[in-house]
Amino acid sequence: MALTAMINEHGGPEQFNLVDLEIGAPAKGEVRINHKAVGLNFIDVYQRVGLYPMQLPHAMGMEASGVIEAVGEGVTHLKVGDRAAYASNPPGAYAEARVMPAAQVCPLPDEVSFEEGAAMMLKGMTVEYLFHRTVPLKAGDTVLFHAAAGGVGLLACQWARSEGITLIGTAGTDEKCQLALDHGATHCINYRTEDWAAKLQELTNGKGVDVVMDAVGKDTFEGSLDSLKPLGMMISFGNASGPVPPFDLGILGKKGSLKLTRPTIFTHIGDHATCQAMAKHLFEKVASGDVKINIGQRFALQDVGKAHDALEARQTIGSTILEI
């Protein structure tokens, strides 16, 4: 049996139910993993409220770390006793243990703790694909990154610094701006006290940036487009303020032949070999010290509702984990 957080209906954090589920043996292509720590991400909120609908009832959570307890037929990259971590569909990580597909479960090096592994897989592999698989970025390029003090943002700040990329962040308090700067952002704009779009033009001498990485969505979309250089790339990879409304595609031409993409991590990690390569790259960044994992909040599994309250209220800094 394993204590598991599930929802029966879409809605607020009060929808969480903690139940004991029978955990069986893994089938072909699956593993059973005993969790040590579980990561929280904004996609969990989207799924809970129904922005990304799921067939209910369903267990929640996309990311965790732990020890492999059993291996199904055909699984060759993991064995019983291995340390492992993952970000993966289907949801079900908010649990003491689970059986799941093995393809996106990755061997976790000894140099990376279970807490770090749980806190960084989805966020870290997101940063990996943003910087290396969505648009070619090189030293000297300039990036605008919204929510730079969040879990993904603090990793992106460090990643940019390690690659020689200028990152201009935005955040909602002076303290969060300082945190982004401490983690490698070149500049950070407090969007509550400054006109961030005007300040960005000032910082870039009116040229704009090569790439915008925007997980905020509706509230920042128009300003983000206006922040790009001609031929720049807009990467919209989240909807924290709500989904971007429909717009005239011709605007991209009028604003300088801009490019726009809406990627998801699950497309990238859908291929087993690609997923393992992305995780290996991430582990190397962390093991080398180029990227440090900031765990700002810890909650018990039983307090998962409180953890979601904090996420939605934007009261979190860095990554949030559930301790098992």
Side-chain angles (χ1 to χ4, degrees):
M1 304 292 285
L3 190 65
T4 304
M6 302 187 68
I7 59 170
N8 295 320
E9 297 179 18
H10 293 300
E14 71 278 0
Q15 297 297 334
F16 281 115
N17 297 296
L18 289 167
V19 297
D20 278 315
L21 293 183
E22 187 73 36
I23 306 299
K28 183 177 181 179
E30 294 182 333
V31 294
R32 186 173 71 233
I33 182 168
N34 180 32
H35 288 152
K36 298 297 185 181
V38 175
L40 273 72
N41 299 278
F42 227 92
I43 190 173
D44 305 349
V45 175
Y46 299 156
Q47 291 172 339
R48 193 201 73 228
V49 301
L51 181 62
Y52 297 168
M54 299 186 298
Q55 186 173 355
L56 300 179
H58 210 297
M60 293 289 294
M62 307 293 292
E63 171 182 54
S65 65
V67 176
I68 301 298
E69 289 189 322
V71 174
E73 180 186 349
V75 177
T76 59
H77 69 291
L78 294 164
K79 64 182 185 301
V80 173
D82 278 355
R83 304 170 79 250
Y86 66 86
S88 176
N89 273 315
Y94 294 179
E96 292 174 331
R98 70 183 294 199
V99 168
M100 63 181 296
Q104 281 70 47
V105 182
C106 306
L108 183 67
D110 291 340
E111 296 87 351
V112 182
S113 72
F114 286 119
E115 285 196 345
E116 289 172 327
M120 75 180 191
M121 291 298 288
L122 194 146
K123 303 172 191 69
M125 290 198 292
T126 294
V127 173
E128 204 274 350
Y129 86 67
L130 288 172
F131 279 83
H132 296 278
R133 298 173 191 272
T134 307
V135 60
L137 280 167
K138 62 186 184 304
D141 285 344
T142 304
V143 168
L144 169 63
F145 200 102
H146 291 295
V152 177
L154 292 182
L155 298 183
C157 291
Q158 297 175 79
W159 206 291
R161 178 173 57 190
S162 75
E163 302 278 340
I165 293 166
T166 296
L167 186 145
I168 301 172
T170 68
T173 68
D174 289 343
E175 291 76 15
K176 286 188 174 184
C177 282
Q178 188 58 54
L179 191 63
L181 293 169
D182 292 344
H183 280 73
T186 309
H187 307 281
C188 193
I189 306 165
N190 184 337
Y191 63 81
R192 296 191 190 277
T193 60
E194 292 192 84
D195 180 337
W196 65 265
K199 182 64 175 179
L200 181 130
Q201 293 300 324
E202 178 186 325
L203 291 171
T204 61
N205 296 315
K207 295 178 180 178
V209 298
D210 297 291
V211 177
V212 176
M213 299 178 181
D214 187 344
V216 175
K218 175 173 64 70
D219 289 353
T220 52
F221 183 73
E222 187 173 344
S224 291
L225 289 181
D226 288 337
S227 298
L228 284 166
K229 294 176 180 178
L231 305 178
M233 168 68 85
M234 168 73 173
I235 306 174
S236 176
F237 69 102
N239 314 287
S241 67
V244 175
F247 74 103
D248 178 6
L249 195 63
I251 289 173
L252 299 178
K254 294 175 183 177
K255 291 183 180 293
S257 300
L258 305 180
K259 297 180 283 289
L260 170 65
T261 185
R262 180 46 171 102
T264 74
I265 185 175
F266 301 107
T267 305
H268 288 279
I269 67 174
D271 176 75
H272 168 72
T274 300
C275 176
Q276 299 296 320
M278 291 169 67
K280 183 179 179 183
H281 193 183
L282 172 61
F283 295 149
E284 289 169 352
K285 285 282 189 183
V286 174
S288 70
D290 283 343
V291 172
K292 298 186 188 323
I293 308 303
N294 181 317
I295 301 172
Q297 301 74 219
R298 292 170 170 83
F299 294 86
L301 176 60
Q302 293 84 344
D303 292 328
V304 62
K306 294 179 181 178
H308 271 236
D309 280 335
L311 277 178
E312 289 186 275
R314 301 196 184 187
Q315 294 172 345
T316 62
I317 291 175
S319 297
T320 302
I321 64 169
L322 301 176
E323 297 177 315
I324 305 298

